[in-house]
Amino acid sequence: MDSNLELMIKDLPPDVSLERGGRIGRFLSHRIFPLSIFLLLTGMFWIGDHGLYPRLFYWAMALPAVLSIACSPKNVRHLLASRIVVAYLLFACYMVLTVLWSTSQNSTVDLVKRPLFVLLFFYSAFELGRQRFDLLAAAVKWAAVIAVVAGIYTLGLFVSSGANGRLTGYGALFNPLMVSHVFGFFLAWWLGLYFIERRVSEPLMLAAVLILAALLLATGSRTPMVAMTATIFWLSAIAWNRKSVLAVGMLITAVAMIWLFAPEILTQRGFSYRTEVWTNVLRQIGEKPWFGHGFNTPIWVKLDDIPYPLHDPHNLTLSVFFDGGVIGGLFWLALYLVSLVESWRWRTNKWVMACSATVIYGLMSGMTEGGAFLPRPKEHWFLVWIPLALTAAAIYQARICEMNARGQETTGANG
């Protein structure tokens, strides 16, 4: 660990800023933030109207975060102890700068608010993890339990309707991709936890994995299949054990079975014009390669076989390069590189392992779907910003645990 980071952490004990912020700051950090994160993670399952989800974030998370910062502004500097947050700040600042040459139809205020909302979520998750990581872990765990319940309900609706076609979800999750983004996040989290846990609850975790995996298969979307394959290989690399061998074996067997008995699942829709769209977007990136077209500039892709223009590159990374050019793309790649390197470093921590699995799932899902990398709060957050924020908090907690262990060893040696 860097000596500067150790000094920063030692100089800023967890309770000092809260005492200065008074009762309101303590109440927000210990009571409201866990509820806020729980509501944000589960909101898509019960809110009904997709358009209400951003409002849930504004009232349940953004407002408490702003109040917390107002009560204890010095808490913000704790964020700088996370390399992931620092990488995000560099990326966000550059993307805000590109608004100067953007041709977006949205107002400048609207575009600037989007990265600020992400930062508020980073602050909420990181501050809760710094003060009471047990409450953050409990909020995520209970949200994951709700996801399994919602998954059973969704599968029940699908089966009762005849199980014809692709599973499309219900309420705010009304198409297969939305379903795969949100439920895939929780599947990756359960899988990461299952890989490293050694408790009597293992069968329950495996049941959660199987239920959510069946749900994603029912969507008929190939994106979660690719993303989950990458997630399993990532988890196997950082925690090679009997479960890793079993998971890789089951994955290979499943792919072989699909290829032999139901190859249409993989081939019936071809590449869905992905290669044509990506080629067109790459050509447009080449028109302004270094600094990009500007944040949220509309993408127009016209294909010969489709009578209307497409506005989605179906690749989050290509969207970043389109808006921010090579410079923005490098900041984006650096954000993930920092996250994965840090996750590898602290891979023995079960929470880092579980959260890093969601990062991999989101990264790979974004390679074939999506275009809004800094949107208002919605299902895309489950691919990018929620995984990265939770990983940043988990890594900070792992560092603190190691520092405490070192301190105890030093005290024992001196004693």
Side-chain angles (χ1 to χ4, degrees):
M1 182 181 301
D2 296 341
S3 58
N4 292 336
L5 178 61
E6 293 183 6
L7 291 174
M8 180 184 297
I9 296 174
K10 290 179 180 178
D11 291 341
L12 298 173
D15 292 331
V16 171
S17 57
L18 281 178
E19 291 173 359
R20 292 176 181 174
R23 296 182 187 179
I24 296 178
R26 186 183 299 273
F27 178 77
L28 290 169
S29 296
H30 292 183
R31 296 291 182 267
I32 301 301
F33 283 172
L35 179 61
S36 300
I37 290 174
F38 175 80
L39 292 176
L40 185 72
L41 292 178
T42 63
M44 285 288 185
F45 304 137
W46 50 262
I47 202 165
D49 186 347
H50 185 267
L52 294 177
Y53 188 74
R55 299 182 186 179
L56 173 67
F57 172 83
Y58 302 149
W59 290 103
M61 178 156 287
L63 180 59
V66 171
L67 291 176
S68 175
I69 294 172
C71 291
S72 305
K74 291 185 178 180
N75 283 351
V76 176
R77 64 179 177 173
H78 288 284
L79 290 172
L80 299 179
S82 170
R83 294 180 178 89
I84 295 176
V85 177
V86 172
Y88 168 72
L89 289 173
L90 293 173
F91 170 74
C93 288
Y94 175 76
M95 294 312 303
V96 169
L97 180 63
T98 67
V99 172
L100 296 175
W101 56 88
S102 172
T103 59
S104 173
Q105 298 178 353
N106 297 80
S107 67
T108 300
V109 173
D110 176 68
L111 296 179
V112 172
K113 284 193 301 184
R114 297 184 190 184
L116 287 178
F117 286 143
V118 173
L119 183 60
L120 288 176
F121 179 71
F122 266 105
Y123 172 81
S124 301
F126 192 84
E127 187 63 15
L128 176 59
R130 184 181 71 86
Q131 297 290 339
R132 291 287 305 274
F133 188 83
D134 59 318
L135 295 179
L136 175 62
V140 178
K141 182 177 290 185
W142 280 109
V145 171
I146 296 298
V148 175
V149 175
I152 295 173
Y153 178 72
T154 304
L155 281 172
L157 291 177
F158 180 60
V159 172
S160 63
S161 65
N164 296 318
R166 302 172 63 185
L167 183 148
T168 56
Y170 68 93
L173 301 175
F174 52 81
N175 70 45
L177 286 177
M178 289 182 177
V179 171
S180 69
H181 292 350
V182 178
F183 282 103
F185 164 85
F186 288 105
L187 172 56
W189 188 87
W190 276 116
L191 194 62
L193 206 60
Y194 173 73
F195 259 60
I196 203 169
E197 282 285 13
R198 302 286 185 275
R199 301 191 307 182
V200 294
S201 57
E202 284 186 33
L204 296 177
M205 294 181 185
L206 181 58
V209 168
L210 295 176
I211 290 169
L212 296 180
L215 176 66
L216 294 192
L217 286 174
T219 64
S221 176
R222 291 163 293 181
T223 292
M225 297 181 191
V226 174
M228 194 49 58
T229 299
T231 303
I232 290 174
F233 279 113
W234 164 259
L235 291 173
S236 299
I238 63 178
W240 185 255
N241 52 38
R242 62 178 181 83
K243 292 181 182 178
S244 305
V245 175
L246 178 62
V248 173
M250 290 178 63
L251 177 65
I252 295 174
T253 302
V255 172
M257 295 292 286
I258 291 173
W259 186 257
L260 289 174
F261 299 104
E264 67 276 2
I265 294 178
L266 302 175
T267 61
Q268 65 182 351
R269 299 197 307 276
F271 289 101
S272 300
Y273 296 101
R274 291 294 191 277
T275 53
E276 294 88 343
V277 171
W278 294 341
T279 301
N280 193 299
V281 173
L282 284 170
R283 178 186 59 76
Q284 295 184 56
I285 291 173
E287 296 171 359
K288 296 184 178 180
W290 293 106
F291 300 103
H293 295 260
F295 180 34
N296 205 52
T297 293
I299 294 179
W300 294 78
V301 177
K302 185 64 179 71
L303 302 180
D304 295 336
D305 296 341
I306 299 179
Y308 52 86
L310 303 178
H311 305 288
D312 190 336
H314 293 287
N315 188 305
L316 287 178
T317 299
L318 282 183
S319 184
V320 172
F321 275 90
F322 178 86
D323 284 8
V326 172
I327 295 177
L330 290 177
F331 280 129
W332 172 263
L333 296 177
L335 175 60
Y336 275 101
L337 180 62
V338 168
S339 175
L340 296 181
V341 169
E342 289 282 278
S343 296
W344 180 269
R345 181 180 179 186
W346 302 100
R347 61 188 180 275
T348 56
N349 183 283
K350 69 176 183 179
W351 299 111
V352 173
M353 187 171 182
C355 293
S356 71
T358 66
V359 172
I360 291 292
Y361 180 87
L363 175 63
M364 296 309 298
S365 292
M367 290 296 180
T368 57
E369 290 297 341
F373 54 90
L374 273 174
R376 298 181 184 87
K378 60 178 184 176
E379 66 279 357
H380 286 84
W381 275 40
F382 285 85
L383 298 183
V384 183
W385 305 120
I386 293 176
L388 289 173
L390 294 180
T391 301
I395 289 173
Y396 183 88
Q397 184 258 357
R399 288 177 172 175
I400 294 298
C401 289
E402 182 181 275
M403 286 183 58
N404 291 337
R406 287 182 181 178
Q408 292 175 2
E409 291 176 0
T410 302
T411 302
N414 293 336

